[in-house]
Amino acid sequence: MKLTVTASLSFMMAFTLSGQLIAATRSEPIEPIKPVQSINLGMVELGKKLYFDPRLSKSGFISCNSCHNLSMGGTDNLTSSIGHNWQQGPINAPTVLNSSMNVAQFWDGRAADLQAQAGGPIANPGEMASSHTLAVDVLQSIPEYVMEFEQVFGSDKITIDEVTQTIAEFEKTLVTPNSRFDKWLLGDNSAINQEELAGYNLFKNSGCTACHNGAAVGGRSFQKMGLVAPYQTTNTAEGLSAVTGKDADRMKFKVPTLRNVALTYPYFHDGAAGTLGEAVEIMGQIQLGKTFSDTENAQIVAFLKTLTGEQPSFPLPILPPSNENTPKPTPFN
Amino acid sequence: MKLTVTASLSFMMAFTLSGQLIAATRSEPIEPIKPVQSINLGMVELGKKLYFDPRLSKSGFISCNSCHNLSMGGTDNLTSSIGHNWQQGPINAPTVLNSSMNVAQFWDGRAADLQAQAGGPIANPGEMASSHTLAVDVLQSIPEYVMEFEQVFGSDKITIDEVTQTIAEFEKTLVTPNSRFDKWLLGDNSAINQEELAGYNLFKNSGCTACHNGAAVGGRSFQKMGLVAPYQTTNTAEGLSAVTGKDADRMKFKVPTLRNVALTYPYFHDGAAGTLGEAVEIMGQIQLGKTFSDTENAQIVAFLKTLTGEQPSFPLPILPPSNENTPKPTPFN
């Protein structure tokens, strides 16, 4: 009984001591990121190692983290990525952060979920250039991995489905809560300043939240790039039509999350916009038919910077070594 | 007084409770790794970020950690490394672990210390392919880096000497104490088994410790590769003679550390030995004129595996973002 009373008093004191806090979450088209629920920890720890393991590539040099670098907002900050044999990727690498909230994966949504996505780059000749068979053979040759898979899945026979499932489970933990904007959404009035608030109101009232909404501030739908004016690009990606075969889906791309957008430059599927100011200007023109003034643009950019959340923090994983039975990487042939 | 007595009692009890412990450190040609002393922590934290920052390369893709991967024993586990534009490196990447104990850096010792080494790959056209000027310009454009350099060095003008000094300071922390062999050296008889002990005695009595000695089990001298029989290789590196110009120094290479050798495959300056067994066999033949039996070889390999220490553990660093003033990476031109 005594313990209950103490706890209640502490709870009330928290709100008494900080005049800035209000009790209720704001009702807005953007929602705070919620803590991850229902995670298989053994799978996460295994998937974390695999995410950092370059032996899933033919060269032994490229890991998931090479292009979705968790030191850099879950991206490579390049216009398009570098793949096996220094091949230039066709499209800008989207951030892995908060990607579990996406309606589908890849810009064209060709993977239904994170697990389906994870298998793609491993076997893509322009990316990691391995094969699912080779990747599994590498892991199966390493006793520490075999033991860990057995712990998680109850079998010492590793499958590619298990590999991608563990990577996806790790990726589900890569959420970035507690951005300043989330704190504001949760009732802390002092978390964002007047310029940032003006930027958010402009963002909302101009129609940006029609697509950039929800907890991920995007990621929920496919939209045409160039809704009111055509988008000029030399990039040949055609978006959703490559998946559906429908001409009406040409240049429809998954709306990217704006979470951590200050970290995930350059912008758009072709990586053509180098700065947030440039991205806001172009979006206004081709999606909304609006030309933001310099002041308005700066306000929206200020708002966007409040969407940077706590980056995932964990010790760099230590990988189990290969042995004489492990297929050797072949970077140069 | 009372405190002193208590401490002494605890000390005695530790030895009383564990019958395996003896009081004295063994006197052997190999010494335990000592904890790092006298480290500038601000410099270490900054250097850690720089070590992981691919923006020190022209492509924005290659960091120190790409080839000296701290998830993989401080190496890339490749025969020779992959550099800018997928160029093949001329030599096997040595481990960064315990490299502060080396008499000099690089296989040919052309850098006197870690700081001198750190500047090499950044500006090497076959490795990171940037320049010292460009690397500094990138960092100078990023306010978070400028602030951190100012904190550490007292100036907001970044220099390449400061960059390499901080990377070197971080690298000094990359020691791997508490291997099973170190525990045995420190008096724990149960830390290694009979086969491993037999392997060590064979290692010592065969003459391996003539070169592989000290805390790093190597790294202290340059020795001719092929002392009693010529080493067959297609690799064109000539070793120390490239630095001294002396013909007598041809094929003299820095004796590599054997710390964590189970993790730092493949072996030798040309990366030609894929396994420890192969490396032991060749070393016996060309350095000692000895042919180890299969049993002896296995014993030495078993001993070598006891040299794996605690790997450095720290949270993956989060890098400050670039901005519109930051020179853009140019991977494809």
Side-chain angles (χ1 to χ4, degrees):
Chain A
M1 251 335 214
K2 194 185 157 205
L3 273 172
T4 313
V5 172
T6 313
S8 300
L9 277 173
S10 304
F11 184 75
M12 287 166 66
M13 276 177 67
F15 285 94
T16 308
L17 286 173
S18 167
Q20 304 292 356
L21 287 175
I22 60 172
T25 300
R26 287 183 166 90
S27 178
E28 296 287 342
I30 298 175
E31 295 144 24
I33 292 179
K34 289 205 179 71
V36 187
Q37 295 183 10
S38 185
I39 277 287
N40 181 322
L41 273 186
M43 223 181 264
V44 167
E45 288 307 311
L46 177 50
K48 187 190 294 173
K49 288 184 188 136
L50 298 177
Y51 189 89
F52 280 85
D53 200 327
R55 288 170 297 188
L56 293 182
S57 68
K58 179 177 188 287
S59 63
F61 189 65
I62 300 178
S63 70
C64 303
N65 193 64
S66 298
C67 300
H68 302 283
N69 192 330
L70 293 170
S71 297
M72 299 161 65
T75 68
D76 54 14
N77 293 144
L78 299 175
T79 304
S80 59
S81 298
I82 297 170
H84 183 78
N85 207 18
W86 212 262
Q87 289 173 81
Q88 182 166 9
I91 209 159
N92 181 258
T95 181
V96 69
L97 297 178
N98 305 301
S99 56
S100 58
M101 304 176 200
N102 288 337
V103 62
Q105 302 301 328
F106 294 114
W107 281 98
D108 58 11
R110 67 184 183 275
D113 54 27
L114 287 174
Q115 184 180 2
Q117 188 280 332
I122 293 173
N124 187 324
E127 301 187 36
M128 295 165 81
S130 184
S131 69
H132 290 173
T133 307
L134 178 57
V136 167
D137 284 352
V138 166
L139 300 175
Q140 188 76 54
S141 74
I142 300 170
E144 293 91 330
Y145 269 137
V146 173
M147 280 191 286
E148 214 165 323
F149 272 94
E150 184 157 17
Q151 283 267 308
V152 171
F153 293 103
S155 160
D156 63 1
K157 179 106 182 55
I158 301 172
T159 69
I160 188 67
D161 281 350
E162 291 168 355
V163 172
T164 54
Q165 196 182 345
T166 59
I167 294 173
E169 194 76 1
F170 168 59
E171 291 175 337
K172 284 183 204 162
T173 69
L174 302 176
V175 294
T176 61
N178 300 324
S179 69
R180 289 198 291 118
F181 190 73
D182 280 9
K183 288 178 183 166
W184 180 80
L185 283 174
L186 290 165
D188 181 354
N189 289 334
S190 69
I192 66 174
N193 66 29
Q194 286 309 305
E195 185 187 25
E196 292 158 349
L197 182 58
Y200 173 56
N201 285 326
L202 197 53
F203 184 85
K204 184 168 62 171
N205 299 331
S206 303
C208 306
T209 50
C211 300
H212 291 288
N213 55 37
V217 200
R220 285 178 157 181
S221 63
F222 294 85
Q223 300 292 339
K224 187 171 176 185
M225 181 74 172
L227 207 56
V228 300
Y231 179 59
Q232 307 293 340
T233 181
T234 55
N235 189 291
T236 57
E238 302 212 328
L240 189 59
S241 63
V243 178
T244 64
K246 294 181 188 165
D247 199 55
D249 289 335
R250 276 199 65 242
M251 295 303 281
K252 277 193 187 168
F253 292 95
K254 191 180 64 198
V255 176
T257 175
L258 297 185
R259 290 284 179 186
N260 310 293
V261 72
L263 308 180
T264 61
Y265 56 89
Y267 306 108
F268 305 155
H269 70 280
D270 59 357
T275 66
L276 282 175
E278 205 179 330
V280 167
E281 183 186 353
I282 296 173
M283 281 284 104
Q285 288 167 352
I286 67 169
Q287 302 302 102
L288 303 168
K290 262 198 181 146
T291 303
F292 293 118
S293 72
D294 287 354
T295 306
E296 289 173 328
N297 187 302
Q299 286 173 340
I300 294 177
V301 168
F303 153 65
L304 291 173
K305 289 181 176 175
T306 70
L307 293 170
T308 303
E310 285 173 6
Q311 301 299 293
S313 174
F314 52 85
L316 184 74
I318 303 299
L319 304 177
S322 299
N323 55 59
E324 63 272 26
N325 299 317
T326 309
K328 288 194 172 52
T330 51
F332 301 110
N333 53 35
Chain B
M1 251 336 211
K2 194 184 157 208
L3 272 172
T4 313
V5 172
T6 313
S8 301
L9 278 174
S10 303
F11 184 76
M12 287 166 66
M13 277 176 67
F15 285 94
T16 309
L17 286 173
S18 167
Q20 304 292 356
L21 287 174
I22 61 171
T25 299
R26 286 184 166 88
S27 178
E28 295 287 342
I30 298 174
E31 296 144 25
I33 293 179
K34 291 206 178 70
V36 186
Q37 294 184 11
S38 185
I39 276 288
N40 181 322
L41 272 185
M43 223 181 262
V44 167
E45 288 307 312
L46 177 50
K48 188 190 294 174
K49 287 183 188 139
L50 298 177
Y51 189 89
F52 280 85
D53 200 327
R55 289 170 295 187
L56 294 182
S57 69
K58 179 176 188 286
S59 62
F61 189 64
I62 300 178
S63 71
C64 304
N65 194 63
S66 297
C67 299
H68 302 281
N69 192 330
L70 294 170
S71 297
M72 298 160 66
T75 68
D76 54 15
N77 293 143
L78 299 175
T79 304
S80 59
S81 298
I82 296 169
H84 183 78
N85 207 19
W86 213 261
Q87 290 172 82
Q88 182 166 8
I91 209 157
N92 181 258
T95 180
V96 70
L97 297 178
N98 306 301
S99 56
S100 58
M101 304 175 201
N102 288 337
V103 62
Q105 303 300 328
F106 295 114
W107 281 98
D108 58 11
R110 68 184 182 273
D113 55 26
L114 286 174
Q115 183 180 3
Q117 189 281 333
I122 293 173
N124 187 323
E127 301 187 37
M128 296 165 81
S130 185
S131 68
H132 289 173
T133 308
L134 178 57
V136 167
D137 284 352
V138 166
L139 300 176
Q140 189 76 53
S141 75
I142 299 170
E144 293 91 331
Y145 269 137
V146 173
M147 280 191 285
E148 215 165 323
F149 272 95
E150 184 156 17
Q151 283 267 308
V152 171
F153 293 102
S155 159
D156 62 1
K157 179 106 181 52
I158 302 172
T159 68
I160 188 66
D161 280 351
E162 291 168 356
V163 172
T164 53
Q165 195 182 346
T166 58
I167 293 173
E169 194 76 1
F170 168 60
E171 290 175 338
K172 284 182 203 162
T173 69
L174 303 176
V175 293
T176 61
N178 300 324
S179 70
R180 290 198 291 117
F181 190 72
D182 280 9
K183 288 178 184 165
W184 180 80
L185 283 175
L186 290 166
D188 181 353
N189 289 334
S190 68
I192 67 174
N193 66 28
Q194 285 310 306
E195 186 187 24
E196 292 157 349
L197 182 58
Y200 172 57
N201 285 325
L202 198 51
F203 184 85
K204 185 168 61 170
N205 299 331
S206 304
C208 306
T209 50
C211 301
H212 292 288
N213 54 36
V217 200
R220 285 178 158 184
S221 63
F222 294 84
Q223 300 292 340
K224 186 170 177 186
M225 181 74 171
L227 207 55
V228 300
Y231 179 59
Q232 308 292 340
T233 181
T234 55
N235 188 291
T236 56
E238 302 211 329
L240 189 60
S241 63
V243 178
T244 63
K246 294 182 189 164
D247 198 54
D249 290 335
R250 276 199 65 241
M251 295 303 280
K252 278 193 186 168
F253 293 95
K254 190 180 65 198
V255 176
T257 175
L258 296 185
R259 290 284 179 185
N260 309 292
V261 72
L263 308 179
T264 61
Y265 55 90
Y267 307 107
F268 305 154
H269 70 279
D270 60 357
T275 65
L276 282 175
E278 205 178 329
V280 167
E281 183 186 354
I282 295 173
M283 281 284 105
Q285 288 167 351
I286 67 169
Q287 302 302 103
L288 303 168
K290 262 197 181 144
T291 302
F292 293 117
S293 71
D294 288 354
T295 306
E296 290 173 328
N297 187 301
Q299 287 173 339
I300 295 176
V301 168
F303 153 65
L304 291 173
K305 289 181 175 173
T306 70
L307 293 171
T308 302
E310 286 172 6
Q311 301 298 294
S313 174
F314 52 85
L316 184 75
I318 304 299
L319 304 177
S322 299
N323 55 59
E324 63 271 27
N325 300 318
T326 309
K328 287 194 173 52
T330 51
F332 300 111
N333 53 35

